Amino acid sequence: MTTRHPRGETVLRVAIGGVGVLTLGWGLWLMAHQSLSDLLSAGAWFVGPAVLSDLLLLPIVAVIGAALTRHLHPWVRLPAQVALAVIGILTFIALPFLTGLGKQQDNPSLLNRNYPLGLAVYILLILIVTGGWALRRRRALRPLPGPARHGHPAQDVTW
């Protein structure tokens, strides 16, 4: 059984697909005129971070997240895992700045900021936002005062 789409939606899909195919062809044409060293350099920039993220960052975040899941209350698990993932990704992105990779003595304007302080401020903001989220979840899961209320949605939430 097939689903019929309105004519305008089909035309839009074909147009977007056509633009995508033209863009892909243009990119391949441009790549054909590059040297092998340029192609390898571009590959390292596009493939390297994805591979490092999958092989290094994600396993660390998964192990810490699994340990946190066992020891944290249900209302704080999800915010803690989100905070951990966002902080991990942010730290991974900040590594070249934190290590000073690419800093040159003859160009003092490169890497001229206090990057560890900036990272610390962003981590603090992430912790404040996810902490507020966790407190809101705790309030939503708190039992209501008064006689026992069975079936209240706030008490049935397990996420």
Side-chain angles (χ1 to χ4, degrees):
M1 185 169 161
T2 61
T3 304
R4 297 199 41 92
H5 299 287
R7 179 167 163 66
E9 185 177 327
T10 303
V11 169
L12 182 63
R13 286 178 182 220
V14 169
I16 291 173
V19 169
V21 168
L22 287 174
T23 304
L24 182 64
W26 182 52
L28 289 172
W29 183 80
L30 290 174
M31 281 179 52
H33 294 84
Q34 298 295 319
S35 68
L36 181 61
S37 65
D38 287 342
L39 291 174
L40 292 175
S41 176
W45 275 100
F46 287 114
V47 176
V51 170
L52 282 176
S53 172
D54 289 350
L55 296 180
L56 179 69
L57 178 66
L58 293 180
I60 292 170
V61 169
V63 168
I64 294 172
L68 286 176
T69 300
R70 292 177 185 249
H71 300 293
L72 292 177
H73 292 283
W75 55 269
V76 77
R77 283 181 190 153
L78 182 61
Q81 290 172 342
V82 169
L84 177 66
V86 172
I87 290 170
I89 291 168
L90 181 64
T91 304
F92 185 70
I93 291 170
L95 278 177
F97 301 100
L98 296 172
T99 61
L101 186 65
K103 191 170 189 168
Q104 299 174 0
Q105 296 298 331
D106 60 339
N107 189 352
S109 65
L110 286 177
L111 302 174
N112 62 347
R113 291 181 172 78
N114 188 349
Y115 293 104
L117 176 63
L119 178 64
V121 168
Y122 278 114
I123 289 173
L124 180 63
L125 288 172
I126 292 166
L127 292 175
I128 288 170
V129 169
T130 54
W133 178 25
L135 291 175
R136 184 175 174 153
R137 287 172 49 97
R138 181 177 184 205
R139 231 178 286 133
L141 294 175
R142 183 179 300 154
L144 297 173
R149 299 175 198 241
H150 299 288
H152 189 275
Q155 292 174 341
D156 294 337
V157 177
T158 59
W159 41 262

